[in-house]
Amino acid sequence: MRVVKGPTDRVVVVGAGLGGLAAAIRLAAAGREVTVLEREDYPGGRAGKLSLDGYEFDTGPTVLTMPSLLEDLLGTVGEDLAGWLPMTRLDPAYRAHFPDGSTLDVIADTARMAGEVARVCGAREADGYLRFVDDARELWRLERDDFIDRNLDRPQDLVTANLWRLLVRGGFGRLQSKVDSYFADPRTRRIFSFQAMYAGVAPHQALALYAVIAYLDSVAGVYFPKGGIHAVSRALADVATKHGVTIHYGATVASVSVAAGRATGVVCADGRRFTADTVVLNPDLPVAYQDLLPPVRWRNPLLGKLRYSPSCVVLHVGSRQSYGAIAHHNIHFGRAWRETFDEVINQGRLMTDPSLLVTNPTRTDPSLAPDGRQTYYVLAPTPNLTAPLLDWRGSLSGTYRSELIDTLEQRGYVGFGDAIEVSRFVTPADWADQGMAAGTPFAAAHTLRQTGPFRPGNLHPTLSNVVFVGSGTQPGVGVPMVLISGRLAAERITGVVS
């Protein structure tokens, strides 16, 4: 494993996102003097917060899996997760709503879920589900230690006995084909393949090894912390501070200072300077290269130009209206399937028959809204800003917001528009303004050539003491992967594999 050369006693972390905070805690545990600089007045990065007239919203991820990663992280400094971050395991993890009017609860209990699949889709589908779970569980076991949970410096690092086992299990085939080999019903086929969009790839193009995303969601379980996903950021920041990390909020970093092939510190927009032996960068990786670092031919020659994931719009709503037929997380599938991915990913167009995620956090934590009120988080996938057909800074924003509300009302959210008390509509243009390349919060897509050692690395190619952390680098997108990236970044600095 390549590591930072030279002294590493003083570390400056730019950005208090989940990855940056995870790295900071681990570095503090290893005895480093750590300073975190965050441009906002609160921690979180993508996992931020929005407060509107007594309503509280998560601005980024709403799905939390693998809390064991947080337990391990806090354990490095002798802290107990339950004491810092009480959370609820959601039951169901999701509720799927289909265009024929049927619903299917995704339950993170294999026996109960088999019964639910049998109830909705028949006994044969339930048998397919049980076989799929066994396969996905084994894929996760094979992938985690060798390909996700360790630093990869070169393609040869992939060559392990588990690589052969993954090949034999069809891990490098296509996700949709693998899912279809277990399920015949279009409803179950969608439930266990839609997660490919998290990785920025259509199910029929994604590698089969990404079946592990469905495994983590639907088998390992989905959790919700009291206070929302942003509470994870706040807890990590408080733990970091307790254990000696200094966090400066309202500190916008303008550049990384460089001398003799090494970073010497960072300069803030207000003129403050912070010296460092090592610099960890949590901003979106391409933006960090472009805005904070000296020009460099930084792209891996195997990659060429990065291909970015699709983006999304998010409608945050504080409402007077509740709906008894929904769960905490709801997936509303349109009639179209493969065509919708083609529209967003290949044609650069909005989905004509969209599938939507609707999250109702106050169903689990009523404290996120005034008494008797509800919060809703509505997400619709869209093209990223590399698509030239959509002008989100013009009238499209207002038009599409209205279309989404109409779609929700057609799908059972009666009176949704009239019940809105506060709202905020976030588009790809807003993501770009927040410093996300191509206007997507999902970073580079997980194509074969942007996965594992082919993904942009977490060590700068020429500055020997600059380390990257977050979804743009290894291992990739999603809260679990970002938390793991914090550990991988810390290991590059300490040289100790934890």
Side-chain angles (χ1 to χ4, degrees), residues 331-350:
I331 305 292
H332 294 268
F333 291 105
R335 295 187 181 280
W337 184 238
R338 183 165 178 155
E339 301 89 339
T340 61
F341 293 102
D342 186 58
E343 287 173 330
V344 168
I345 295 173
N346 299 320
Q347 298 179 28
R349 300 179 182 278
L350 296 172

Side-chain angles (χ1 to χ4, degrees), residues 451-472:
T451 295
F454 307 115
R455 199 166 182 81
N458 59 1
L459 274 179
H460 192 281
T462 60
L463 299 174
S464 60
N465 61 339
V466 172
V467 182
F468 300 97
V469 68
S471 58

Side-chain angles (χ1 to χ4, degrees), residues 80-154:
D80 177 62
L81 177 63
W84 286 93
L85 196 65
M87 62 179 71
T88 301
R89 188 177 189 183
L90 298 181
D91 189 8
Y94 297 95
R95 179 165 293 156
H97 304 254
F98 299 100
D100 65 357
S102 63
T103 63
L104 189 151
D105 281 356
V106 178
I107 303 166
D109 177 287
T110 306
R112 288 176 56 213
M113 182 61 185
E116 174 72 356
V117 172
R119 180 188 69 82
V120 177
C121 305
R124 183 170 295 181
E125 286 295 282
D127 177 68
Y129 161 74
L130 293 172
R131 290 184 292 112
F132 171 78
V133 168
D134 287 342
D135 191 6
R137 181 183 290 114
E138 181 64 10
L139 284 175
W140 173 244
R141 188 188 70 81
L142 294 174
E143 291 175 40
R144 178 167 179 172
D145 289 345
D146 282 2
F147 309 110
I148 294 174
D149 234 4
R150 70 183 181 111
N151 279 300
L152 299 168
D153 292 322
R154 53 185 183 165

Side-chain angles (χ1 to χ4, degrees), residues 19-333:
L21 290 170
I25 291 170
R26 290 184 180 276
L27 289 167
R32 301 311 193 269
E33 177 187 326
V34 184
T35 301
V36 177
L37 305 177
E38 169 56 48
R39 67 179 178 182
E40 302 294 343
D41 296 328
Y42 49 83
R46 282 172 169 81
K49 66 173 183 175
L50 171 67
S51 300
L52 295 175
D53 296 338
Y55 291 92
E56 301 292 331
F57 301 93
D58 283 317
T59 58
T62 62
V63 175
L64 177 65
T65 61
M66 295 189 68
S68 59
L69 292 172
L70 291 167
E71 291 174 353
D72 177 70
L73 173 60
L74 268 60
T76 63
V77 288
E79 299 290 347
D80 177 62
L81 177 63
W84 286 93
L85 196 65
M87 62 179 71
T88 301
R89 188 177 189 183
L90 298 181
D91 189 8
Y94 297 95
R95 179 165 293 156
H97 304 254
F98 299 100
D100 65 357
S102 63
T103 63
L104 189 151
D105 281 356
V106 178
I107 303 166
D109 177 287
T110 306
R112 288 176 56 213
M113 182 61 185
E116 174 72 356
V117 172
R119 180 188 69 82
V120 177
C121 305
R124 183 170 295 181
E125 286 295 282
D127 177 68
Y129 161 74
L130 293 172
R131 290 184 292 112
F132 171 78
V133 168
D134 287 342
D135 191 6
R137 181 183 290 114
E138 181 64 10
L139 284 175
W140 173 244
R141 188 188 70 81
L142 294 174
E143 291 175 40
R144 178 167 179 172
D145 289 345
D146 282 2
F147 309 110
I148 294 174
D149 234 4
R150 70 183 181 111
N151 279 300
L152 299 168
D153 292 322
R154 53 185 183 165
Q156 292 92 318
D157 292 341
L158 291 173
V159 182
T160 69
N162 281 342
L163 177 64
W164 171 250
R165 295 183 182 104
L166 277 175
L167 284 167
V168 170
R169 296 194 75 89
F172 294 94
R174 298 301 173 190
L175 174 62
Q176 195 68 67
S177 296
K178 176 172 278 291
V179 170
D180 291 356
S181 71
Y182 292 105
F183 300 104
D185 193 299
R187 294 170 293 185
T188 46
R189 286 180 168 183
R190 293 185 183 192
I191 278 294
F192 295 107
S193 64
F194 81 89
Q195 296 89 348
M197 190 62 104
Y198 296 162
V201 188
H204 57 278
Q205 295 173 327
L207 295 175
L209 53 84
Y210 286 114
V212 299
I213 306 178
Y215 171 77
L216 294 178
D217 279 4
S218 59
V219 181
V222 174
Y223 295 78
F224 190 72
K226 182 174 177 55
I229 303 298
H230 176 71
V232 177
S233 311
R234 175 59 64 188
L236 295 187
D238 290 345
V239 168
T241 300
K242 177 180 176 181
H243 290 276
V245 175
T246 301
I247 304 179
H248 296 274
Y249 295 106
T252 300
V253 172
S255 63
V256 175
S257 302
V258 174
R262 290 179 64 85
T264 58
V266 301
V267 180
C268 290
D270 59 10
R272 284 181 291 172
R273 295 176 179 269
F274 295 84
T275 59
D277 297 317
T278 303
V279 174
V280 177
L281 296 177
N282 195 188
D284 202 10
L285 184 140
V287 174
Y289 270 106
Q290 176 180 317
D291 294 349
L292 303 182
L293 293 163
V296 64
R297 184 180 175 81
W298 65 270
R299 293 188 182 92
N300 184 324
L302 293 173
L303 279 174
K305 186 177 180 180
L306 280 177
R307 174 180 165 186
Y308 292 99
S309 297
S311 185
C312 65
V313 297
V314 172
L315 175 61
H316 299 287
V317 166
S319 173
R320 299 185 301 271
Q321 183 68 49
S322 62
Y323 300 93
I326 65 173
H328 183 114
H329 292 300
N330 304 271
I331 305 292
H332 294 268
F333 291 105

